[in-house]
Amino acid sequence: MNITRGFTGRPRVHNPGLPPGQYDAGDEWPVLSAEVTPDLAPADWALRIDGLVTEPRTWTWEQAHALPASAYEGAIHCVTGWSKFGVRFGGVSLDTFWDVARPHGSATHVVAYSHTGYTANLPLADLTGGRAWIAWEYDGRPLPPEHGGPVRLVVPHLYFWKSVKWIAGLRLLDHDEPGFWEGNGYHARGNPWEEQRYSGDGDDGNG
């Protein structure tokens, strides 16, 4: 993992919104990436949803922007220990894409993958019910490439490695299939409030 800003030595100030073991990053937004930041123009971006769905579908930049807009405002939490409050991502609720693709009843998990090949696994339940977004704006501006622009997945209730940068697709499965970090010892789900950082931390299932 490439880390461009340090994470150690920060004071732990009591904040009831902080999950255990986290610190408030304030105005900083540290940059972490498992791969080199791609040079991906909006015109070259697309999102594919397939696997256990009734209507496999690909959306271009223009088609995704034609969908009803939605936003997330709140906090995000990184497995390395920082949390950031007052963030605002703009894009489209993932529920809008599910309404078109229509997941099968047998679908239980999702492999999210980026245009670079990075993957993360998530329970489908964590990506429905207004809990996840396809986002291309941050604080009213285009999402910067180092933070996943032109488009990233945002799943704010889980550690942020699950919010795949440069999102390219979501493949629905009837079983769990570890992604990049999960295959290297990270937790299958990554709930910040239960400190599910590594395999074996707390409940290692997907409940």
Side-chain angles (χ1 to χ4, degrees):
M1 175 181 284
N2 298 320
I3 304 176
T4 58
R5 298 191 184 187
F7 300 97
T8 59
R10 297 303 183 94
R12 263 57 175 177
V13 178
H14 176 69
N15 179 336
L18 275 174
Q22 299 290 110
Y23 71 86
D24 187 343
D27 293 334
E28 295 185 22
W29 186 1
V31 178
L32 299 92
S33 298
E35 300 169 296
V36 175
T37 300
D39 183 12
L40 181 63
D44 297 326
W45 174 85
L47 177 71
R48 175 74 177 172
I49 295 182
D50 57 20
L52 295 177
V53 296
T54 301
E55 295 289 341
R57 176 78 182 271
T58 299
W59 287 264
T60 65
W61 174 264
E62 292 79 10
Q63 290 167 337
H65 277 66
L67 298 173
S70 181
Y72 167 73
E73 297 185 49
I76 55 176
H77 311 286
C78 181
V79 71
T80 59
W82 58 265
S83 293
K84 185 170 177 61
F85 294 86
V87 305
R88 187 181 192 280
F89 288 98
V92 174
S93 170
L94 198 50
D95 290 326
T96 301
F97 295 92
W98 297 140
D99 288 344
V100 175
R102 305 202 306 277
H104 291 175
S106 60
T108 60
H109 290 80
V110 175
V111 172
Y113 56 93
S114 77
H115 280 267
T116 62
Y118 173 88
T119 59
N121 63 305
L122 302 103
L124 178 57
D126 281 315
L127 299 177
T128 60
R131 307 179 83 189
W133 288 260
I134 298 297
W136 44 74
E137 288 184 355
Y138 177 78
D139 199 20
R141 299 180 178 86
L143 185 64
E146 66 271 22
H147 289 301
V151 187
R152 75 176 297 157
L153 176 65
V154 174
V155 190
H157 66 284
L158 300 180
Y159 283 126
F160 221 48
W161 93 78
K162 298 287 189 176
S163 295
V164 174
K165 294 181 177 182
W166 318 299
I167 187 70
L170 301 162
R171 182 165 297 118
L172 278 70
L173 307 172
D174 61 2
H175 60 279
D176 197 7
E177 185 175 294
F180 177 82
W181 286 117
E182 297 82 10
N184 283 281
Y186 277 49
H187 198 277
R189 183 160 183 246
N191 182 339
W193 296 98
E194 297 182 10
E195 290 196 89
Q196 294 175 339
R197 302 176 190 273
Y198 304 105
S199 179
D201 289 346
D203 173 19
D204 202 34
N206 294 301

